[in-house]
Amino acid sequence: MASRTSTRSRGDGEKYSVLLPTYNERENLPLIVWLLVKYFGESGYDYEIIVIDDGSPDGTLEIAEQLQKIYGEDKILLRPRAKKLGLGTAYIHGIKHATGSFIFIMDADLSHHPKFIPEFIEKQKEGDYDLVSGTRYQGDGGVYGWDLRRKLISRGANFVTQVLLRPGASDLTGSFRLYKRKVLEGLIERCVSKGYVFQMEMIIRARQLDCSIGEVPISFVDRVYGESKLGGNEIVSFLKGLLTLFATT
């Protein structure tokens, strides 16, 4: 009993809301939720998982409803939408229902492992950072399961962005991050990008507002089930968005 109490005290009374936007993640959702429950439980931090499903035709919402019955309505919150409306609006929608003072954003496709969550929290406390970003390009971070084309696209996008915008963070296009809630709300209000470039703009805007940014090296693993959502249109959109940010920041 004593060890249980000491473990729980690590949370310092803070609550962490995890925003999980989903679209056709029926196979991945049960495992990512199980892992989140496991690592939050082991580290003793208070949490809630907010599933924002955008009308997945594969039955993702039905799976989420079953998970809610297993883990409880206080831990799994379902906030679905009728159709795909974009990542930024999914976060806005999720924040409205979040009760935590800190918010995690991450992918539901198992590319972001919840085992890193305690490291994010410890890093944030270490420097009282406004946001902590997972990085694939520093320390022992890395990418696994991508072909050479995907690696070149990601590395190239990151390099060009570093040269043009000098953001002061090593991984601009990643989407595994921990934000202070008020910081995230302020950044989303200012961001205009959609798709692949959205995460990059969030970092750029954070620098403009003098937000402090910490980084945690992570292992990024390509999705286990389902198809990647990165296509030619996303790459074109990224380049357009990058040029727009370069011209306006």
Side-chain angles (χ1 to χ4, degrees):
M1 183 68 73
S3 62
R4 185 183 179 95
T5 303
S6 63
T7 301
R8 286 193 170 182
S9 67
R10 288 182 57 185
D12 296 330
E14 301 290 1
K15 186 173 186 179
Y16 296 85
S17 300
V18 181
L19 303 188
L20 274 186
T22 58
Y23 187 77
N24 286 349
E25 299 292 358
R26 176 188 176 90
E27 293 94 345
N28 295 316
L29 190 61
L31 185 50
I32 192 68
V33 167
W34 181 82
L35 288 168
L36 283 166
V37 171
K38 169 182 166 63
Y39 286 100
F40 270 115
E42 289 179 354
S43 58
Y45 295 110
D46 192 15
Y47 70 96
E48 64 184 3
I49 302 167
I50 303 175
V51 179
I52 307 149
D53 186 65
D54 277 359
S56 297
D58 73 340
T60 297
L61 182 58
E62 286 76 7
I63 295 295
E65 290 169 348
Q66 293 178 40
L67 292 169
Q68 187 181 58
K69 291 176 182 176
I70 294 170
Y71 297 109
E73 295 183 5
D74 60 325
K75 294 302 182 188
I76 310 295
L77 285 70
L78 309 183
R79 298 295 181 265
R81 304 189 297 176
K83 60 182 180 179
K84 291 184 76 172
L85 297 169
L87 195 57
T89 60
Y91 291 147
I92 292 171
H93 184 67
I95 290 171
K96 288 178 182 176
H97 301 283
T99 58
S101 51
F102 290 88
I103 294 182
F104 275 99
I105 63 169
M106 63 189 299
D107 295 341
D109 61 5
L110 301 175
S111 56
H112 299 144
H113 201 300
K115 70 181 180 181
F116 295 108
I117 277 179
E119 292 182 45
F120 275 71
I121 295 174
E122 288 161 17
K123 185 70 176 182
Q124 191 283 323
K125 292 180 181 298
E126 176 187 303
D128 191 28
Y129 291 108
D130 293 313
L131 73 97
V132 176
S133 181
T135 176
R136 299 161 288 182
Y137 306 127
Q138 291 291 326
D140 55 1
V143 176
Y144 303 91
W146 276 3
D147 59 20
L148 181 60
R149 172 181 168 273
R150 287 287 302 275
K151 288 182 178 179
L152 287 175
I153 290 171
S154 179
R155 280 282 190 180
N158 207 61
F159 176 75
V160 171
T161 305
Q162 295 286 351
V163 171
L164 291 180
L165 300 177
R166 302 185 182 280
S170 63
D171 192 340
L172 282 299
T173 56
S175 53
F176 191 1
R177 295 176 186 163
L178 169 62
Y179 291 87
K180 289 181 178 177
R181 177 182 179 140
K182 293 191 176 185
V183 170
L184 180 58
E185 289 173 338
L187 290 173
I188 287 180
E189 286 178 1
R190 290 169 172 80
C191 285
V192 297
S193 305
K194 292 181 172 57
Y196 195 58
V197 77
F198 174 79
Q199 303 294 0
M200 179 180 70
E201 184 180 357
M202 291 282 280
I203 292 285
I204 302 303
R205 300 297 180 196
R207 280 298 183 201
Q208 284 183 324
L209 296 174
D210 293 323
C211 295
S212 56
I213 303 174
E215 291 190 311
V216 170
I218 63 166
S219 302
F220 178 95
V221 181
D222 197 21
R223 61 166 47 246
V224 178
Y225 299 108
E227 297 181 0
S228 170
K229 299 175 179 71
L230 175 63
N233 289 338
E234 283 288 347
I235 297 169
V236 172
S237 296
F238 168 78
L239 293 173
K240 288 180 179 177
L242 175 60
L243 292 174
T244 300
L245 284 175
F246 180 64
T248 58
T249 59

